[in-house]
Amino acid sequence: MNDRTVMIAGNWKMNLNLDESANLVKAIAEEIQGLDGVDVLVAPPFTSLPAAKQAIGDARILLAAQNMYWEPDGAYTGEISGQMLVEAGCSHVILGHSERRSLFGESSEMVDLKVKAAMLMGLIPIICIGETLEAREAGRTFEVVKEQLEGSLKNFIDEHSMPPSTILAYEPVWAIGTGKTATPEQAQEVHHFIRQWIEERFDKDTADLVRILYGGSVKPDNAKDLMSRQDIDGALVGGASLKADLFVPIIKYQES
Ligand code: 13P
């Protein structure tokens, strides 16, 4: 047992219009009334953030964006600042998702700049890392994960301190949207490696407090098994977060 509160987070990616976003939030809110002990978070597309915030009302649902830029303002066509996300009602921001890294050329150096800017705005970063199939098959999983941690968290390393509220998400690229989930053993092995890395780089208290979510084809039927592992503190859910009848059972994984 540990003191970390499980977080179930939904990354909606580029899906759902305004009405669909508000309706999904309301459906989740209704189903989780009175539910304790699990943090629930949704990450809609930028344009749906204010509508989602309004739909959340006083329900216990946290709001995140899926990305941000590191500069506070200026001539950066198409970008969104941390301040804008705070104004839209966000408390969290997903950074360095593998789709950002592979499709939009985001490097760990860029993720590090974003993490720093998010912290300055009081946004809690959910920092994603994970190896490709090629890297796993070449036996390079730990090497790649370590490289991404060292690069994406450089500002924390330089400061010799990592805020314990920081959230990490281990998302093996080969398990995202493929229906192939890492087995709970495979996921636990990497989560344990990440926690050890935090302890070595920072200290045991931080390592004990930082939450590490697992992402990659999490569904109602595999959530409980994944969540039962010592170092898996929640899930970052893609496809199954778009429908209340799939997402809610993941939130209520303990009842299954
Ligand atoms: P899927 O749950 O669709 O595999 O997506 C995982 C993910 O990328 C969450 O950020």
Side-chain angles (χ1 to χ4, degrees), residues 14-127:
M14 199 174 75
N15 294 293
L16 306 186
N17 66 22
L18 285 179
D19 282 351
E20 290 164 341
S21 298
N23 289 339
L24 179 52
V25 165
K26 284 182 195 151
I28 298 166
E30 201 169 303
E31 292 284 342
I32 64 165
Q33 268 182 45
L35 183 76
D36 266 340
V38 182
D39 287 345
V40 179
L41 176 147
V42 294
F46 288 133
T47 47
S48 288
L49 288 172
K53 181 67 186 171
Q54 201 183 13
I56 289 172
D58 53 13
R60 280 191 59 237
I61 300 178
L62 300 161
L63 189 65
Q66 301 171 17
N67 182 29
M68 62 173 266
Y69 193 52
W70 57 80
E71 292 292 345
D73 49 48
Y76 303 104
T77 302
E79 293 295 334
I80 300 271
S81 73
Q83 172 72 43
M84 292 167 183
L85 298 183
V86 171
E87 276 174 19
C90 293
S91 54
H92 292 66
V93 58
I94 298 173
L95 295 174
H97 190 278
S98 71
E99 285 147 21
R100 301 289 326 159
R101 291 178 188 262
S102 66
L103 303 174
F104 303 100
E106 248 179 52
S107 62
S108 289
E109 290 70 29
M110 291 159 80
V111 177
D112 180 52
L113 289 168
K114 293 182 178 196
V115 171
K116 196 170 176 181
M119 299 298 304
L120 280 174
M121 285 314 308
L123 287 163
I124 297 174
I126 302 174
I127 305 158

Side-chain angles (χ1 to χ4, degrees), residues 9-13 94 97-99 128 169 171-173 175-180 214-219 235-242:
N11 173 10
W12 295 359
K13 308 192 179 185
I94 298 173
H97 190 278
S98 71
E99 285 147 21
C128 304
E171 300 206 310
V173 177
I176 296 177
T178 57
K180 276 191 207 159
Y214 168 78
S217 299
V218 176
K219 303 280 183 274
L236 184 54
V237 187
S241 73
L242 296 173

Side-chain angles (χ1 to χ4, degrees), residues 139-203:
R140 295 182 54 238
T141 298
F142 295 124
E143 187 190 323
V144 169
V145 165
K146 186 173 171 193
E147 248 171 47
Q148 290 179 344
L149 287 168
E150 301 268 342
S152 310
L153 304 181
K154 187 167 178 306
N155 70 94
F156 294 156
I157 294 172
D158 291 347
E159 298 279 323
H160 305 289
S161 152
M162 175 171 181
S165 58
T166 309
I167 298 168
L168 297 176
Y170 169 58
E171 300 206 310
V173 177
W174 49 273
I176 296 177
T178 57
K180 276 191 207 159
T181 329
T183 63
E185 292 73 22
Q186 282 173 322
Q188 164 60 24
E189 192 184 23
V190 181
H191 282 231
H192 182 67
F193 173 83
I194 295 168
R195 204 174 300 287
Q196 268 185 322
W197 179 86
I198 301 172
E199 184 171 337
E200 279 159 28
R201 271 294 187 192
F202 303 97
D203 53 66

